């Protein structure tokens, strides 16, 4: 079969995988396509955490056509019992003849065992078709499995001159409607979304998912001194996901009790000369099953994560506006670097047009 045709089938599987979005966290997004005699006879993807895996859904969709067909799957099939039985056994029982795997699963419980099991039973397995595309789709999962900490994306929306608010504090709306819709898609994909307390006080955000299909992530407020207003929407909003207020250990008990009475969870962690111990925070989040964190600002918390080398990916939105003002709020605050040569470098930078805006996506070195 021609390489382009095989890539088309795997590309379809990758498109299906994306539909899992935030529904599968902290599991990977996986898509599967079954092909026989040059036709797609079955499709499936991992739809929700604890539900059937992509391979199983595709086999069920193919029905009797599955025998002697080829399975295209974006991640190595599992060979162990977890929330569901091993996909390898379903594949073997189905009579599939070949399996095209995009990338090996880094999870130690899988990590080559699925491929080995299939080959032992006479199923032909090929590995590496569209590997980099598959890795990018599951960059959150790969990071979480490797580090036991959430993958951190820093998102900022700013004017062309790098401001996230005017000198009066006005910030509505800097980004276009298309950009805001994309941010809601990101919120639906990430298991947690966080902002600094200054953003809560200035903007009173909800941080829920409204303009996209997907679940609400937990809402984190980084508030070392416990300054979050008790009537903030982030505390009073009804949601299936909790609000977590990350406070310093010196916040008085009565303030902690007040936040908890509003329904929030309070995590008290140590502070240092630079504020909250964000390293410890990420460790704690990982222990509690959070595989990803979308940091939406503002300027001070953005620098806190960047300065500690805790940002894994950036997405900056630039609006075609210039507001000026030496007292306007910059996108990134903090003390900053003393010399340009010490600035944080970003690699694999890509640029895309989002409505009227321009978005930069990259990975801090």
């Amino acid at each position: 079969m021609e390489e382009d045709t095989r890539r088309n089938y795997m590309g379809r599987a990758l498109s299906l995988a994306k539909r899992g979005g935030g529904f599968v966290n902290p599991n990977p997004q996986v898509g599967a396509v079954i092909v026989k005699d040059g036709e797609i006879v079955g499709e499936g993807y991992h739809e929700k955490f604890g539900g059937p895996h992509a391979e199983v859904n595709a086999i069920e969709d193919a029905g009797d056509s599955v025998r002697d067909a080829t399975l295209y799957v974006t991640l190595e099939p599992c060979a162990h019992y977890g929330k569901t039985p091993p996909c390898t056994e379903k594949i073997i029982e189905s009579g599939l003849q070949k399996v095209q795997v995009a990338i090996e699963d880094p999870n130690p419980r899988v990590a080559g065992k699925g491929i080995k099991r299939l080959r032992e039973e006479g199923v032909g397995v090929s590995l590496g078709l569209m590997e980099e595309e598959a890795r990018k789709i599951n960059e959150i999962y790969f990071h979480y499995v490797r580090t036991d900490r959430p993958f951190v994306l820093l998102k900022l929306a700013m004017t062309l001159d790098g401001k996230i608010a005017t000198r009066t504090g006005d910030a509505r709306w800097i980004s276009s409607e298309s950009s805001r819709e994309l941010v809601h898609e990101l919120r639906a994909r990430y298991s947690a979304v966080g902002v600094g307390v200054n953003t809560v006080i200035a903007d009173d955000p909800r941080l829920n998912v409204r303009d996209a299909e997907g679940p609400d992530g937990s809402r984190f407020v980084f508030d070392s001194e416990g300054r979050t207003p008790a009537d903030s929407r982030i505390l009073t909003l009804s949601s299936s996901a909790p609000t977590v207020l990350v406070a310093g250990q010196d916040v008085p008990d009565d303030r902690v009790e007040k936040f908890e009475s509003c329904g929030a969870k309070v995590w008290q962690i140590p502070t240092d000369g630079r504020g909250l111990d964000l390293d410890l925070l990420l460790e704690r989040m990982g222990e509690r099953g959070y595989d990803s964190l979308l940091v939406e600002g503002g300027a001070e918390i953005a620098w806190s994560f960047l300065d500690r080398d805790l940002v894994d990916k950036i997405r900056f939105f630039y609006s075609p506006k210039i507001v000026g003002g030496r007292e306007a709020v910059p996108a990134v605050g903090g003390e900053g670097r003393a010399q340009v040569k010490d600035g944080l470098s970003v690699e694999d930078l890509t640029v895309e047009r989002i409505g009227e805006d321009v978005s930069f996506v990259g990975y801090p070195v």
Side-chain angles (χ1 to χ4, degrees), residues 110 131 145 194 328 349:
V110 186
E131 179 177 352
V145 168
L349 193 67

Side-chain angles (χ1 to χ4, degrees), residues 77 199 255 266 295 297 355:
T199 297
R255 288 294 294 165
V266 180
V295 178

Side-chain angles (χ1 to χ4, degrees), residues 89-106:
E89 305 314 299
K90 184 74 172 180
I91 292 170
I92 293 165
E93 294 168 4
S94 72
L96 279 160
Q97 186 178 60
K98 297 178 182 178
V99 177
Q100 294 271 356
V101 179
I103 192 169
E104 186 176 292
D105 192 331

